[in-house]
Amino acid sequence: ADDLVQDTMLRGFAHELRNLLGVFINGGELLQDELIGGSGNSEVAATLDDMRRAGERARVLLGRLTSLAALEGMELLPLDVAGVVAQMVPRLERLTAHRRLSVSVSGHCPPVGGDPAVLEELVVDLVANAGRVTREDGRITVDVDVTEHATGAADSAGPWVRVRVTDDGPGMEPMIAARAFEPFFSTSRGRWGVGLSLAQAAA
Protein backbone atom coordinates (compact mmCIF):
# COMPACT_ATOMS: atom_id res chain seq x y z
CA ALA A 1 0.00 0.00 0.00
CA ASP A 2 2.81 2.40 0.92
CA ASP A 3 4.62 1.62 -2.34
CA LEU A 4 1.43 2.35 -4.30
CA VAL A 5 0.97 5.71 -2.57
CA GLN A 6 4.61 6.67 -3.17
CA ASP A 7 4.38 5.65 -6.83
CA THR A 8 1.17 7.66 -7.28
CA MET A 9 2.72 10.73 -5.66
CA LEU A 10 5.86 10.43 -7.76
CA ARG A 11 3.90 10.15 -10.99
CA GLY A 12 1.76 13.15 -10.03
CA PHE A 13 4.87 15.17 -9.21
CA ALA A 14 6.46 14.17 -12.51
CA HIS A 15 3.30 15.17 -14.40
CA GLU A 16 3.38 18.66 -12.90
CA LEU A 17 7.08 19.06 -13.68
CA ARG A 18 6.52 17.99 -17.28
CA ASN A 19 3.87 20.70 -17.60
CA LEU A 20 6.31 23.30 -16.26
CA LEU A 21 9.04 22.11 -18.61
CA GLY A 22 6.59 22.48 -21.48
CA VAL A 23 6.14 26.16 -20.60
CA PHE A 24 9.91 26.76 -20.66
CA ILE A 25 10.43 24.85 -23.91
CA ASN A 26 7.52 26.51 -25.73
CA GLY A 27 8.50 29.92 -24.35
CA GLY A 28 12.08 29.47 -25.57
CA GLU A 29 10.88 28.53 -29.05
CA LEU A 30 8.53 31.55 -29.15
CA LEU A 31 11.31 33.92 -28.08
CA GLN A 32 13.59 32.42 -30.69
CA ASP A 33 10.99 33.09 -33.39
CA GLU A 34 10.02 36.58 -32.20
CA LEU A 35 13.32 38.09 -31.04
CA ILE A 36 15.91 36.61 -33.33
CA GLY A 37 14.25 36.93 -36.72
CA GLY A 38 16.80 38.20 -39.18
CA SER A 39 18.92 40.05 -36.62
CA GLY A 40 21.74 37.52 -36.78
CA ASN A 41 22.44 37.72 -33.05
CA SER A 42 24.26 34.40 -32.75
CA GLU A 43 24.86 34.66 -28.98
CA VAL A 44 21.17 35.13 -28.18
CA ALA A 45 20.25 32.39 -30.64
CA ALA A 46 22.71 29.99 -29.02
CA THR A 47 21.40 30.77 -25.53
CA LEU A 48 17.79 30.19 -26.55
CA ASP A 49 18.79 26.96 -28.27
CA ASP A 50 20.53 25.85 -25.05
CA MET A 51 17.28 26.56 -23.18
CA ARG A 52 15.23 24.52 -25.60
CA ARG A 53 17.65 21.60 -25.64
CA ALA A 54 18.02 21.65 -21.85
CA GLY A 55 14.26 21.53 -21.48
CA GLU A 56 13.98 18.61 -23.88
CA ARG A 57 16.75 16.71 -22.07
CA ALA A 58 15.17 17.42 -18.70
CA ARG A 59 11.83 16.10 -19.95
CA VAL A 60 13.48 12.91 -21.23
CA LEU A 61 15.44 12.40 -18.01
CA LEU A 62 12.37 13.06 -15.87
CA GLY A 63 10.50 10.35 -17.70
CA ARG A 64 13.31 7.90 -17.00
CA LEU A 65 13.56 8.84 -13.34
CA THR A 66 9.86 8.28 -12.73
CA SER A 67 9.93 4.72 -13.99
CA LEU A 68 10.37 2.03 -11.34
CA ALA A 69 13.44 0.70 -13.11
CA ALA A 70 14.94 4.23 -13.44
CA LEU A 71 18.33 3.88 -15.14
CA GLU A 72 17.95 0.10 -15.34
CA GLY A 73 15.29 0.61 -18.02
CA MET A 74 17.53 2.76 -20.20
CA GLU A 75 18.25 1.46 -23.67
CA LEU A 76 22.02 1.27 -24.14
CA LEU A 77 23.18 2.05 -27.67
CA PRO A 78 26.71 2.33 -29.10
CA LEU A 79 27.92 5.69 -27.87
CA ASP A 80 30.84 7.80 -29.11
CA VAL A 81 31.72 9.48 -25.81
CA ALA A 82 34.58 11.51 -27.27
CA GLY A 83 32.38 12.78 -30.09
CA VAL A 84 29.55 13.81 -27.76
CA VAL A 85 31.89 15.72 -25.45
CA ALA A 86 33.73 17.36 -28.37
CA GLN A 87 30.52 18.79 -29.81
CA MET A 88 29.63 20.17 -26.37
CA VAL A 89 32.66 22.47 -26.20
CA PRO A 90 30.86 25.68 -27.36
CA ARG A 91 28.15 25.17 -24.77
CA LEU A 92 30.63 24.37 -22.02
CA GLU A 93 32.57 27.54 -22.87
CA ARG A 94 29.41 29.61 -22.42
CA LEU A 95 28.63 27.75 -19.20
CA THR A 96 32.07 28.53 -17.75
CA ALA A 97 32.34 32.19 -18.71
CA HIS A 98 35.27 33.96 -17.02
CA ARG A 99 36.86 30.60 -16.15
CA ARG A 100 39.70 28.94 -18.03
CA LEU A 101 38.18 25.84 -19.63
CA SER A 102 40.35 23.09 -21.09
CA VAL A 103 38.81 20.13 -22.93
CA SER A 104 41.04 17.21 -23.94
CA VAL A 105 39.50 14.41 -25.99
CA SER A 106 41.38 11.25 -26.98
CA GLY A 107 40.99 10.14 -30.57
CA HIS A 108 41.24 6.47 -29.63
CA CYS A 109 38.10 5.97 -27.53
CA PRO A 110 36.08 2.88 -28.49
CA PRO A 111 32.27 3.05 -28.57
CA VAL A 112 30.55 2.08 -25.31
CA GLY A 113 26.98 1.28 -24.35
CA GLY A 114 25.19 4.40 -23.21
CA ASP A 115 22.78 7.23 -23.94
CA PRO A 116 24.00 10.56 -25.39
CA ALA A 117 21.30 12.62 -23.62
CA VAL A 118 22.28 11.20 -20.24
CA LEU A 119 26.00 11.70 -20.92
CA GLU A 120 25.50 15.29 -22.01
CA GLU A 121 23.37 16.09 -18.98
CA LEU A 122 25.92 14.60 -16.61
CA VAL A 123 28.86 16.47 -18.15
CA VAL A 124 26.93 19.76 -18.07
CA ASP A 125 26.00 19.20 -14.44
CA LEU A 126 29.58 18.39 -13.40
CA VAL A 127 31.02 21.39 -15.28
CA ALA A 128 28.32 23.68 -13.86
CA ASN A 129 29.19 22.45 -10.37
CA ALA A 130 32.86 23.19 -11.03
CA GLY A 131 31.96 26.66 -12.27
CA ARG A 132 30.09 27.43 -9.07
CA VAL A 133 33.04 26.61 -6.80
CA THR A 134 35.94 28.11 -8.75
CA ARG A 135 36.91 31.76 -8.72
CA GLU A 136 36.34 33.84 -11.84
CA ASP A 137 39.83 33.19 -13.20
CA GLY A 138 39.84 29.56 -12.05
CA ARG A 139 40.59 26.55 -14.22
CA ILE A 140 38.18 23.75 -15.19
CA THR A 141 39.39 20.72 -17.12
CA VAL A 142 37.41 18.03 -18.96
CA ASP A 143 39.38 14.96 -20.05
CA VAL A 144 38.08 12.04 -22.11
CA ASP A 145 40.47 9.11 -22.41
CA VAL A 146 40.77 5.33 -22.23
CA THR A 147 41.69 3.47 -19.06
CA GLU A 148 42.12 -0.22 -18.33
CA HIS A 149 40.31 -0.06 -15.01
CA ALA A 150 37.21 1.73 -13.74
CA THR A 151 37.35 2.60 -10.06
CA GLY A 152 34.40 1.13 -8.18
CA ALA A 153 33.00 -0.75 -11.17
CA ALA A 154 31.58 -4.23 -10.61
CA ASP A 155 33.56 -5.53 -13.58
CA SER A 156 37.01 -3.99 -13.82
CA ALA A 157 37.86 -5.57 -17.17
CA GLY A 158 38.87 -2.81 -19.59
CA PRO A 159 39.22 -0.87 -21.64
CA TRP A 160 36.92 1.81 -20.24
CA VAL A 161 36.22 5.28 -21.57
CA ARG A 162 36.73 7.75 -18.74
CA VAL A 163 35.32 11.27 -18.46
CA ARG A 164 36.98 13.39 -15.78
CA VAL A 165 35.95 16.89 -14.73
CA THR A 166 38.42 18.65 -12.43
CA ASP A 167 38.77 22.19 -11.10
CA ASP A 168 41.05 24.23 -8.86
CA GLY A 169 38.32 25.15 -6.40
CA PRO A 170 38.62 24.71 -2.62
CA GLY A 171 37.37 21.12 -2.61
CA MET A 172 34.82 19.49 -0.28
CA GLU A 173 34.95 19.24 3.46
CA PRO A 174 35.08 15.58 4.60
CA MET A 175 31.51 15.61 5.97
CA ILE A 176 30.16 16.95 2.68
CA ALA A 177 32.26 14.57 0.57
CA ALA A 178 30.85 11.64 2.55
CA ARG A 179 27.32 12.60 1.47
CA ALA A 180 28.09 13.90 -2.02
CA PHE A 181 26.49 10.92 -3.80
CA GLU A 182 23.32 10.87 -1.71
CA PRO A 183 20.23 11.61 -3.87
CA PHE A 184 18.77 15.08 -3.19
CA PHE A 185 21.70 16.18 -1.00
CA SER A 186 23.04 19.56 -2.07
CA THR A 187 24.87 22.47 -0.46
CA SER A 188 23.60 24.86 -3.14
CA ARG A 189 20.27 26.53 -2.58
CA GLY A 190 17.75 25.74 -5.28
CA ARG A 191 19.64 22.68 -6.53
CA TRP A 192 18.05 19.22 -6.58
CA GLY A 193 21.19 17.32 -5.63
CA VAL A 194 20.74 14.48 -8.12
CA GLY A 195 23.68 15.08 -10.48
CA LEU A 196 26.34 13.04 -8.68
CA SER A 197 23.95 10.24 -7.72
CA LEU A 198 22.90 9.95 -11.38
CA ALA A 199 26.54 9.94 -12.49
CA GLN A 200 27.27 7.14 -10.04
CA ALA A 201 24.22 5.13 -11.14
CA ALA A 202 25.01 5.55 -14.84
CA ALA A 203 28.68 4.53 -14.48
Side-chain angles (χ1 to χ4, degrees):
D2 289 342
D3 289 343
L4 179 60
V5 171
Q6 291 178 5
D7 185 60
T8 301
M9 291 178 61
L10 182 60
R11 292 180 185 277
F13 180 62
H15 175 74
E16 293 300 321
L17 282 180
R18 274 193 290 269
N19 289 340
L20 292 173
L21 284 171
V23 173
F24 285 109
I25 294 169
N26 294 335
E29 292 176 347
L30 180 62
L31 285 172
Q32 201 164 28
D33 291 340
E34 294 294 327
L35 298 181
I36 303 304
S39 67
N41 191 326
S42 59
E43 185 175 350
V44 174
T47 301
L48 290 174
D49 189 55
D50 281 349
M51 289 172 55
R52 179 186 59 79
R53 294 179 61 200
E56 292 291 355
R57 286 196 306 275
R59 185 154 58 184
V60 170
L61 289 170
L62 180 61
R64 288 169 181 156
L65 285 173
T66 53
S67 69
L68 294 177
L71 291 174
E72 292 180 4
M74 186 194 311
E75 182 181 4
L76 300 181
L77 300 173
L79 175 62
D80 175 14
V81 175
V84 171
V85 174
Q87 64 87 26
M88 292 176 62
V89 171
R91 184 181 182 204
L92 296 179
E93 288 176 341
R94 292 193 296 273
L95 191 65
T96 57
H98 308 298
R99 276 79 176 170
R100 292 172 293 167
L101 176 69
S102 174
V103 180
S104 175
V105 177
S106 170
H108 303 286
C109 295
V112 297
D115 184 299
V118 172
L119 174 62
E120 189 169 344
E121 187 67 22
L122 294 178
V123 172
V124 165
D125 196 56
L126 292 172
V127 170
N129 283 346
R132 281 190 289 272
V133 300
T134 55
R135 60 187 184 276
E136 283 204 356
D137 62 343
R139 180 177 295 279
I140 299 170
T141 303
V142 181
D143 292 309
V144 182
D145 58 15
V146 179
T147 178
E148 292 300 322
H149 301 284
T151 303
D155 181 6
S156 61
W160 291 74
V161 176
R162 175 175 56 189
V163 181
R164 292 185 294 180
V165 178
T166 57
D167 61 72
D168 60 0
M172 296 182 184
E173 297 178 2
M175 291 181 62
I176 294 176
R179 301 187 59 191
F181 290 97
E182 289 183 16
F184 306 111
F185 172 76
S186 176
T187 58
S188 299
R189 187 175 181 179
R191 303 292 300 175
W192 283 26
V194 297
L196 290 179
S197 58
L198 278 176
Q200 187 179 51

